[in-house]
Amino acid sequence: MPTVRLPYEFLAPVRTARLVLRAMTDEDVDDIHAYQSRPDVCRYLPFEPRTRDEVLDKVAKYSTALVLSGDGDFWQLAIESMGDPGRVIGDLYFTIKDAANATCEIGWTLHPDHAGSGYMTEAARAVLRIAFDDLGMHRASAVLDARNHASASVCARLGMREEAHFVEDLWFKGAWGDTAIYAILDREWAALAT
């Protein structure tokens, strides 16, 4: 039987070689709005481009969602580049899908000006390390619009495999859309570290 170590609180920023993952604050609203207001960024996301007020409301909610206690609890973390301290270049979503079965889900959004530098792979790797090493998760998945080749590439770099491609399984922004599911198990994650 899986033993997931919950509750787990995001207490302090997580630092990688080039990034800082941290809780969002009101000071981040303009940076986040700069990419979440773009149609090209929202093309594969479950929301339309957001107004500044919508981003402000979301940041207020996300900034206090720091404790994972059970199913549906989530983090929406700001990603800051150490090369430009204080500037948010993207965000990373992490949620407990099913604590009893030790499963979680991860997702991300990045400002296009910072694409192609490996930032999202670096950020996601740091959160997956927490998921597997600290929380004791068995399986992490990512659910993507199947047309989102950039996110599929991030999944591949993380060691995730494509497990499913559902054809026209949802009505998405005025048309039928396909969903791709990628995943990695704890033992596969551990093998990557050796």
Side-chain angles (χ1 to χ4, degrees), residues 12-28:
V14 173
R15 297 181 188 283
T16 67
R18 302 177 296 163
L19 304 170
V20 177
L21 281 66
R22 58 171 176 76
M24 292 182 178
T25 69
D26 287 344
E27 289 77 36
D28 302 325

Side-chain angles (χ1 to χ4, degrees), residues 113-187:
D113 288 354
H114 302 281
S117 299
Y119 288 136
M120 198 48 68
T121 303
E122 187 174 325
R125 196 171 275 136
V127 170
L128 287 176
R129 191 172 299 116
I130 293 169
F132 291 121
D133 299 349
D134 298 344
L135 296 173
M137 288 289 147
H138 172 65
R139 174 187 162 85
S141 63
V143 179
L144 315 176
D145 184 308
R147 299 169 297 174
N148 190 342
H149 302 296
S151 282
S153 294
V154 171
C155 289
R157 286 191 297 277
L158 292 169
M160 300 174 109
R161 81 188 142 285
E162 185 175 9
E163 291 191 332
H165 183 125
F166 298 105
V167 178
E168 295 186 8
D169 65 322
L170 76 161
W171 185 254
F172 184 74
K173 298 186 177 182
W176 287 110
D178 294 5
T179 301
I181 310 264
Y182 289 78
I184 187 169
L185 300 176
D186 52 357
R187 67 178 174 269

Side-chain angles (χ1 to χ4, degrees), residues 4 8 12 22-23 44 49 57 59 62 65 70 77 87 89 92-94 96 103 105 110 121 126 128 145 178 181:
V4 178
Y8 187 94
R22 58 171 176 76
Y44 303 126
D57 289 344
V59 168
Y62 300 155
L77 303 174
R87 171 68 51 87
I89 62 169
L92 199 141
Y93 172 76
F94 177 81
I96 304 297
T103 62
E105 184 178 320
L110 184 68
T121 303
L128 287 176
D145 184 308
D178 294 5
I181 310 264

Side-chain angles (χ1 to χ4, degrees), residues 47-68:
F47 56 85
E48 295 295 338
R50 290 178 170 157
T51 66
R52 188 181 187 288
D53 285 343
E54 288 171 328
V55 172
L56 183 65
D57 289 344
K58 293 292 184 184
V59 168
K61 177 182 175 183
Y62 300 155
S63 66
T64 60
L66 300 174
V67 178
L68 303 174

